Amino acid sequence: MSLLRYVAAAALSACGAWAAQAPNPIPPAGVSTRALPNGGLVVVRRDASAPLCVVDLWIRAGATDDGGTGAAHAVEHMVFKGSTPGIDDALEAAGIVAYAATLADATHYLATAPADKAPLVARTLCRVLNAPRIDPAAWELERRVMLEESERSRTDAVAEVRRALSARLFGSVYGAPVAGSPEALKALGGAGIAAFHRRWYRADRAILVVAGNVDAAAAMDGAVAALSAVKAEGDSPKDIPVPAAVGPVEAAVIRDDGSAAGLAWPVDGADAAALEVLCEVLRSRLPGRMGGVARVVSVSHPWQRAALLAIVAQGSFTDGEPVIAALRKAVAAATLGITASDVAAAARRSRWSWWLDHETPAEQGRALGLGAALGDVQRASLEPERLNAVTLADVREAAERLTGPPASAPR
């Protein structure tokens, strides 16, 4: 959470009446979807308050689908380098810059543009679905860039602990770095990149999102035309199954410039709202209970198929075991005595965090696209309402799944 979000959440939590009247920036009534004959999905959300719009193409394939080879991230790089004419060139000629990101479960390509350029952007981004030309020299240059990215990610002790926790819960499916390990990238060749693209980059695994200051009907027509032009061929590959997991698990990374240690539990994705409120309770309570042991304590419940809740402590410690032991005690103590007012305050902070995250068309497009990629496009619209409906009993039940039933908790 950024400093801005911390400040805003703190200020707004003191204004209950204001928070209760806050508009939802992604109201369900403002989101239109259309399933296409080729299996693709188009999602449009008009936001008249935004000066521009975002076009965001999502592919339901990410780092968990490449077997740890780094091919998912390599495809993201190479579709821009290996297309003719270049996707970047076509957009830059219109004054538009495209971005892309590889996630665990999906990859997306987006560009912000004036509303009248949305059809052009949609057509251009859909060319990502065409087979790229993997030029050996271009790949060697991109490989160096990706190796640098991979090395940078290994300097983040918190990120490394989170990866280790995921690996211990779900095995290599979720434990490999999204950018690919250096060893895997050095072994990856053009044939492996092409094979990943051929298998996963299909119309029936594509979601095209348009969000922002657009005419909803015109934006829908333009996006439908762009994605409909992609032919569906053969049977769609099945999602890589997420292994069953038992927790909690623990992991630590000890470094001279800062260490991290943490715990993680597998959780039921269906309880996302109650878990997010519980996370807010823990965020407010844990730092004070870990002050003598760790400098920072982070609580995360990432939106992904392999649902987990991770708590990671940062500091200058040289032994992770006592920190993990202190975390276990702090979590157990922090979940005791949660009251209805605690839940109301945490739900209010969660709502404002959600709203502030999705103010811009880019963030709204990301929420809608990721939701659709994970099979729950409505979550992006309904999460604030779901947070409103969370009860004290819901949060206590979620807490008990982490720590077990308390010996003497009030009911």
Side-chain angles (χ1 to χ4, degrees):
M1 184 182 288
S2 68
L3 177 60
L4 174 61
R5 281 181 56 191
Y6 274 122
V7 172
L12 294 173
S13 66
C15 304
W18 186 12
Q21 298 170 8
N24 180 354
I26 316 180
V31 178
S32 303
T33 63
R34 187 178 301 179
L36 306 183
N38 63 7
L41 178 69
V42 174
V43 182
V44 173
R45 197 261 153 163
R46 182 174 185 269
D47 180 359
S49 67
L52 299 170
C53 73
V54 67
V55 181
D56 199 347
L57 176 68
W58 286 76
I59 309 298
R60 291 190 295 113
T64 58
D65 301 298
D66 68 13
T69 64
H73 192 206
V75 167
E76 176 219 308
H77 279 245
M78 294 307 296
V79 292
F80 288 106
K81 303 296 180 181
S83 58
T84 305
I87 293 173
D88 271 342
D89 294 339
L91 293 175
E92 288 177 6
I96 299 164
V97 178
Y99 302 89
T102 304
L103 310 179
D105 298 299
T107 308
H108 69 127
Y109 304 82
L110 71 155
T112 300
D116 63 343
K117 298 289 180 65
L120 166 66
V121 176
R123 290 194 303 272
T124 305
L125 289 183
C126 282
R127 284 167 44 198
V128 163
L129 293 160
N130 298 335
R133 180 177 58 87
I134 311 296
D135 177 72
W139 165 232
E140 191 53 43
L141 290 174
E142 288 305 306
R143 192 205 311 265
R144 294 175 190 171
V145 172
M146 292 175 63
L147 283 168
E148 291 176 3
E149 293 178 358
S150 179
E151 288 297 334
R152 284 198 300 270
S153 72
R154 291 157 71 94
T155 65
D156 185 338
V158 173
E160 197 166 339
V161 165
R162 286 179 178 151
R163 281 196 298 271
L165 293 169
S166 292
R168 291 178 183 178
L169 284 174
F170 306 111
S172 60
V173 175
Y174 273 84
V178 168
S181 69
E183 298 76 18
L185 290 174
K186 289 173 183 176
L188 181 63
I193 300 170
F196 184 88
H197 185 283
R198 186 166 55 251
R199 177 175 175 79
W200 297 103
Y201 275 58
R202 306 164 44 93
D204 53 13
R205 298 193 69 87
I207 300 124
L208 186 57
V209 181
V210 183
N213 195 2
V214 293
D215 177 279
M220 177 64 76
D221 289 344
V224 166
L227 190 51
S228 294
V230 181
K231 295 181 179 179
E233 299 178 356
D235 295 330
S236 182
K238 296 181 179 179
D239 291 333
I240 302 297
V242 177
V246 177
V249 295
E250 57 188 54
V253 172
I254 306 300
R255 291 193 176 139
D256 292 338
D257 59 350
S259 302
L263 297 165
W265 296 258
V267 294
D268 186 348
D271 297 330
L275 283 163
E276 187 50 47
V277 174
L278 175 61
C279 285
E280 279 295 332
V281 172
L282 293 174
R283 287 175 189 128
S284 67
R285 292 185 170 196
L286 285 177
R289 298 176 185 276
M290 293 290 292
V293 181
R295 185 176 67 251
V296 178
V297 180
S298 62
V299 183
S300 59
H301 173 225
W303 193 0
Q304 59 185 37
R305 288 192 302 133
L308 77 159
L309 191 156
I311 301 175
V312 180
Q314 298 170 256
S316 56
F317 46 86
T318 57
D319 185 354
E321 287 190 13
V323 177
I324 291 171
L327 265 181
R328 287 179 181 273
K329 291 180 181 178
V331 171
T335 56
L336 284 175
I338 298 174
T339 66
S341 61
D342 294 329
V343 170
R348 185 163 58 245
R349 291 193 300 270
S350 293
R351 289 197 304 273
W352 275 103
S353 295
W354 186 269
W355 286 328
L356 291 170
D357 265 353
H358 302 144
E359 282 182 333
T360 67
E363 290 301 329
Q364 293 180 38
R366 187 183 190 281
L368 292 165
L370 181 57
L374 296 177
D376 188 9
V377 69
Q378 285 192 329
R379 181 176 172 187
S381 299
L382 298 178
E383 187 70 3
E385 283 75 7
R386 290 173 177 170
L387 291 166
N388 282 339
V390 172
T391 67
L392 174 59
D394 296 332
V395 175
R396 285 183 176 166
E397 182 180 351
E400 287 182 13
R401 293 184 184 181
L402 268 60
T403 63
S408 58
R411 285 289 180 183

